[in-house]
Amino acid sequence: MKRRWSLMLLAVIRTASGRMPSLGLSRILGYLSDNDAHPTSHAEKWISAGGGLVSVFMILLISQQVLDMHGTTLVVASMSASAVLLFAVPHGALSQPWAVLGGHIVSALIGVTAARWIESPVVASAIAVSLSIVAMHYFNCLHPPGGATALVAVLGGSAVQEMGYGYAVTPVLANALILLSIAMIFNYPFVWRRYPQARQSVAPAEKCMIAHSDLVYALTEIDSFIDVSEEDLLRIYGLALGHHRIPQTEGQILPLKSTA
């Protein structure tokens, strides 16, 4: 009986495997590369990695001076997530200085308060993270790693809880300032990686098909946080408009000239 079921199972597996497409390593890599929504050069990827290396190393050195290894691990986990944003997405709205500082500090204060007033760590953790999200929205400093900072304030152990509200200053504020300083210095030599984001010149209104006021209105109507600044969006639009005006060849239709 067991042999019969084994043979039936083997037949089903063979039939299914025969109908499934081959998923070799080259095919998987090709699929991933073809579906890259934000293509970047190899140099850009390694520059991001270098910034993360330097920043996390410095944060570890600072955190070990004031916390035990357990607390250090938890704190650096949230700061490492910030490092990914600052060095891999330096132009993103979630990566800007106020988002980093405000997001971490506000969340740290909320986490410490929840740990002090709510006895159950599970309930305190959930409330701390949820209130941090609300506070970051209202203070316009939405920063996803801030949720982890609030969580550490509750679950970081005795070393973190004994610090009280001082946790928001050292190591949270100190680490955030180190992270921002390294991001500014590290990204400075690379002109295409401006940090913090500088305001860009906007294309003149008469050259745009969409008015600036209409673009701002569209952003407000979406009613959801979009991790792209207004300046970057206008810059992208300007570049796309400029590319559209370049005469196309190889059988493509040329854009119509304005008669205005």
Side-chain angles (χ1 to χ4, degrees), residues 153-256:
V154 179
L155 303 177
S158 59
V160 173
Q161 294 182 359
E162 288 174 1
M163 298 176 67
Y165 288 103
Y167 162 75
V169 179
T170 305
V172 173
L173 176 59
N175 283 339
L177 290 174
I178 291 172
L179 192 61
L180 289 172
S181 299
I182 294 175
M184 293 176 187
I185 296 171
F186 187 88
N187 289 320
Y188 181 79
F190 311 105
V191 294
W192 66 93
R193 293 173 63 91
R194 63 196 187 283
Y195 190 86
Q197 179 176 317
R199 294 189 65 86
Q200 300 296 305
S201 58
V202 181
E206 65 272 15
K207 293 185 178 180
C208 293
M209 298 172 63
I210 300 177
H212 175 258
S213 58
D214 293 334
L215 188 59
V216 173
Y217 170 78
L219 289 174
T220 57
E221 283 296 303
I222 292 177
D223 194 23
S224 180
F225 189 90
I226 302 176
D227 190 21
V228 60
S229 67
E230 179 186 328
E231 290 77 17
D232 263 342
L233 191 58
L234 288 171
R235 182 167 178 260
I236 292 170
Y237 175 75
L239 290 172
L241 188 62
H243 181 267
H244 173 71
R245 291 175 176 174
I246 297 176
Q248 304 295 315
T249 57
E250 299 181 0
Q252 297 183 8
I253 300 176
L254 295 175
L256 294 176

Side-chain angles (χ1 to χ4, degrees), residues 86-125:
L86 266 67
F87 295 101
V89 197
H91 300 167
L94 303 180
S95 309
Q96 300 311 301
W98 170 239
V100 177
L101 286 176
H104 279 298
I105 295 173
V106 168
S107 299
L109 294 174
I110 292 175
V112 172
T113 303
R116 286 194 169 190
W117 290 94
I118 302 175
E119 183 176 357
S120 170
V122 176
V123 176
S125 299

Side-chain angles (χ1 to χ4, degrees), residues 62-141:
I62 295 297
S63 298
Q64 285 181 339
Q65 304 301 318
V66 295
L67 293 173
D68 57 15
M69 184 51 66
H70 174 70
T72 298
T73 302
L74 294 176
V75 171
V76 172
S78 65
M79 292 296 168
S80 298
S82 295
V84 174
L85 289 172
L86 266 67
F87 295 101
V89 197
H91 300 167
L94 303 180
S95 309
Q96 300 311 301
W98 170 239
V100 177
L101 286 176
H104 279 298
I105 295 173
V106 168
S107 299
L109 294 174
I110 292 175
V112 172
T113 303
R116 286 194 169 190
W117 290 94
I118 302 175
E119 183 176 357
S120 170
V122 176
V123 176
S125 299
I127 291 178
V129 174
S130 62
L131 290 181
S132 296
I133 294 173
V134 174
M136 285 188 288
H137 264 300
Y138 278 110
F139 284 102
N140 196 27
C141 58

